Amino acid sequence: MRNLKVFIAYNGANYHGFQRQDNAISVQEVVEKAIGKLLKCEPPVIYGCSRTDAGVHARRFCFNFRTDSKIPCSGFVKGMNTILPADIAVLSCEDADEDFHARFCTKSKEYVYLINNKPNRDVFLQNLAYHYPYPLDIEKMRHAALLFVGEHDFGAFCRAEGKARVKSTIRTIYEVTVSENAGVVEIKIRGNGFLYNMVRILAGTLIYISEGKRTEDDIKSALLTRNRDFGGVTLPPEGLYLNEVYYGT
Amino acid sequence: MRNLKVFIAYNGANYHGFQRQDNAISVQEVVEKAIGKLLKCEPPVIYGCSRTDAGVHARRFCFNFRTDSKIPCSGFVKGMNTILPADIAVLSCEDADEDFHARFCTKSKEYVYLINNKPNRDVFLQNLAYHYPYPLDIEKMRHAALLFVGEHDFGAFCRAEGKARVKSTIRTIYEVTVSENAGVVEIKIRGNGFLYNMVRILAGTLIYISEGKRTEDDIKSALLTRNRDFGGVTLPPEGLYLNEVYYGT
């Protein structure tokens, strides 16, 4: 039986996240149904690399699924893109090893948080960035962001109900960059794993740093005490993108 | 009476163009109603710098209107942006001379045509670019585009019903650039005026040049004979942006 490894992109504005839900439309459900239609079979179960929250986007999201179909990978990409709605696209497909699993084989992931930092809303970034119209101190945010790099207990940067789901809240962040281009600020974070709402809280903490509502000492305290109060606000989902998933060594 | 000069941006995906229509929603109607609501008056008539077709966008579009209101310009911008839907934004407002007219005082305009030239559709450019998935010869397009520069009779690059509307089809193009960034090709055209569908036909002609379906000699013939057959296809509206309107000297 083949094990297909598929990368997709999606605009999450109209979905209640990736994961299948009982009473709301999810990316998973739409993709599974499209596969069933293309391969003329019961919709298979697909295994996603990540849950994403309602409204969150993915530039590159990986899933795998098993099939007996002999469809060529190129035909799968082409066929899926004619069936899927315009806000989901299949980027690539390949035959993976039998034991490949999109979630459990992940080595690291990269998220991007986009902030429209122009005074007025951007009609072309509707649902695609968080609008924060006040000046941001990028240098200050960049400096504070370095405190996140390394292996830390990120328990303070996790939504409460997320903590119960995981054995440990220790994660390693490899890199954080804060850049600005034409009034759009991009916070990019790569790490070996992320807790529930972690990127949205880290990004919100950097905004609080810029505003002076939190200090670098607060971040250090957050990492030591796991106390959520030392962190900043949880930013809304529309600015968040799963940017890349890394496998292999 | 004040004569207010206002710049707006809009995502045209959900509108039947700028100009008020009887049976379809237009940007003009929505903006006029918002002004009426903000200034607590009958919706005034606003004078737009341009018609735009259904689905066409504007990064900077100017209109003017007369009012007795004493609202400060900054209050107008802020107030309008709370009333307008997310796909229309007021960028600026200023008191203009009594004889300023957004359409008749235009010195030049700049349009951009965006082409998603990646193999797959871009879920974040839905309705915001034309998807052309085959390789484009940018150098060849750039070279041919130079033929448009200068004062020419663009009768061949105008939709038939547009010709009846104008006294002359002679226009001056000041600059055409063709650039590529991360798989998105941008054709930028600045001129003293444009005919109906002119930018969409010019952009389509450059694609035909890349494909070898038209030659530079065909463009020369088009400019000499006004025969539409020498031009290329009219590209769809979703790639077109009114980028800037210039006034003054």
Side-chain angles (χ1 to χ4, degrees), chain A residues 120, chain B residues 38 73-83 90:
Chain A
N120 297 307
Chain B
L38 178 68
C73 284
S74 61
F76 180 82
V77 174
K78 210 167 177 177
M80 285 292 284
N81 284 330
T82 62
I83 295 170
V90 173

Side-chain angles (χ1 to χ4, degrees), chain B residues 81-153:
Chain B
N81 284 330
T82 62
I83 295 170
L84 285 169
D87 51 9
I88 306 178
V90 173
L91 305 175
S92 68
C93 171
E94 60 178 290
D95 280 277
D97 289 343
E98 196 184 2
D99 56 355
F100 174 78
H101 188 289
R103 183 165 161 217
F104 300 124
C105 297
T106 305
K107 292 291 180 200
S108 64
K109 279 185 214 161
E110 185 174 81
Y111 282 92
V112 158
Y113 198 90
L114 281 192
I115 301 165
N116 167 22
N117 194 31
K118 290 171 279 197
N120 297 306
R121 67 168 165 259
D122 186 326
V123 296
F124 305 112
L125 290 176
Q126 196 185 340
N127 298 323
L128 294 175
Y130 165 56
H131 186 205
Y132 180 86
Y134 314 105
L136 281 173
D137 188 334
I138 304 290
E139 269 314 311
K140 206 170 164 189
M141 292 166 72
R142 200 174 273 156
H143 194 269
L146 296 176
L147 293 171
F148 299 141
V149 177
E151 186 183 82
H152 300 287
D153 189 329

Side-chain angles (χ1 to χ4, degrees), chain B residues 179-224:
Chain B
S179 57
E180 190 272 352
N181 180 27
V184 177
V185 173
E186 180 189 272
I187 299 169
K188 194 186 277 184
I189 306 184
R190 188 166 53 83
N192 69 348
F194 293 88
L195 305 168
Y196 193 32
N197 278 359
M198 179 167 151
V199 178
R200 289 161 58 185
I201 299 172
L202 292 180
T205 302
L206 293 181
I207 286 190
Y208 269 23
I209 287 281
S210 168
E211 290 174 336
K213 287 185 189 162
R214 294 290 183 280
T215 64
E216 294 201 0
D217 279 343
D218 289 327
I219 293 181
K220 289 174 194 164
S221 301
L223 294 172
L224 284 172

